[in-house]
C-alpha cells in the first residue's frame, strides 16, 4: 500500500461504523489525530493516532465485529502497512495500541470504567488483563509510552457530536507526506 492507497481507503470506506457508538471510522480517525495534535504529539505520533485503526478498514468489517466474537487483529495488519511507508515511530504505537489497553486495564483499576461497551467486549477477545510479567514486558518495549498516549486518545475520540473539519483529508495527506519525507531522509 502507498499513502495514496490509504487516502483512497478512507475516502471509500471511512464511513464504516466505528464500534457500536454512532460514529464512523473517519470521524474516529480524525478525532484521534486532532487530540494528538492538541496534546503536542510529534508528527509521527499524530499520524499513528490518525491511522491506528486502518486495519479495520482493510478488513472492512462493518458494525461491531466483537459482537460476533471476532478479533480482526487490526493492529498488526495496519502496522505491517505503515512500517515501510512511515517508519517505526508510526508503526510501533499502532501495533501496540491493543496491548496498551490490556496494560492500562491491568495497571489502572479505574481505567476499565472509562472503556466503551464494545471496547470491554473486545478486551476479552484480545486476551483480557495481563499479569505483572506481561505488563513489565510491555512497558519495556520501545514506543510503549507512545502506545499508552495513543490509547487514551483512542478512548476519548469517540464523540458523536464532534465532526471532522472540511479539509480533514487534506490535513491527513499533508501529515502523511511530511512523515514519509522525514522517514525517507533517515534511510
Ligand atoms: Fe483499534
Ligand atoms: Fe480506535
Amino acid at each position: 500500500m502507498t499513502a495514496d492507497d490509504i487516502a483512497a481507503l478512507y475516502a471509500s470506506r471511512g464511513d464504516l461504523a466505528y464500534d457500536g457508538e454512532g460514529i464512523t471510522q473517519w470521524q474516529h480517525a480524525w478525532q484521534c489525530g486532532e487530540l494528538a495534535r492538541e496534546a503536542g504529539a510529534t508528527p509521527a505520533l499524530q499520524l499513528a493516532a490518525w491511522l491506528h485503526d486502518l486495519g479495520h478498514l482493510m478488513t472492512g468489517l462493518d458494525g461491531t465485529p466483537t459482537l460476533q466474537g471476532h478479533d480482526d487483529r487490526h493492529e498488526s495488519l495496519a502496522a505491517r502497512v505503515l512500517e515501510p511507508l512511515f517508519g517505526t515511530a508510526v508503526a510501533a504505537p499502532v501495533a501496540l495500541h491493543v496491548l496498551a489497553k490490556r496494560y492500562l486495564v491491568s495497571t489502572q483499576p479505574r481505567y476499565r470504567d472509562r472503556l466503551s461497551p464494545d471496547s470491554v467486549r473486545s478486551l476479552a477477545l484480545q486476551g483480557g488483563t495481563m499479569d505483572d510479567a506481561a505488563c513489565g514486558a510491555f512497558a519495556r518495549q520501545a514506543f510503549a509510552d507512545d502506545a499508552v498516549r495513543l490509547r487514551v486518545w483512542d478512548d476519548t475520540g469517540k464523540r458523536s457530536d464532534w465532526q471532522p473539519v472540511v479539509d480533514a483529508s487534506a490535513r491527513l495527506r499533508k501529515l502523511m507526506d511530511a512523515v514519509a519525507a522525514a522517514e525517507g531522509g533517515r534511510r
Side-chain angles (χ1 to χ4, degrees), residues 109-164:
R110 285 206 310 270
Y111 172 77
R112 183 190 284 262
D113 302 337
R114 296 194 351 226
L115 292 176
S116 65
D118 194 70
S119 206
V120 170
R121 220 172 5 244
S122 61
L123 176 67
L125 294 171
Q126 291 156 344
T129 53
M130 300 195 296
D131 61 19
D132 289 351
C135 286
F138 168 81
R140 282 191 297 276
Q141 292 196 61
F143 298 103
D145 289 352
D146 280 354
V148 166
R149 292 181 75 195
L150 194 163
R151 187 70 227 182
V152 174
W153 300 322
D154 190 3
D155 297 322
T156 316
K158 298 181 175 180
R159 284 175 41 187
S160 56
D161 62 340
W162 195 21
Q163 292 297 335

Side-chain angles (χ1 to χ4, degrees), residues 18 25 28 32 52-53 56 74 97 151 154-155 158:
Y18 180 84
Q25 287 288 345
H28 178 59
C32 291
H52 72 279
D53 280 336
H56 281 318
H74 69 287
H97 83 273
R151 187 70 227 182
D154 190 3
D155 297 322
K158 298 181 175 180

Side-chain angles (χ1 to χ4, degrees), residues 82-88 181-187:
L82 297 174
E83 173 83 47
L85 292 174
F86 306 116
T88 312
E183 178 60 20
R186 259 191 296 278
R187 287 184 181 170

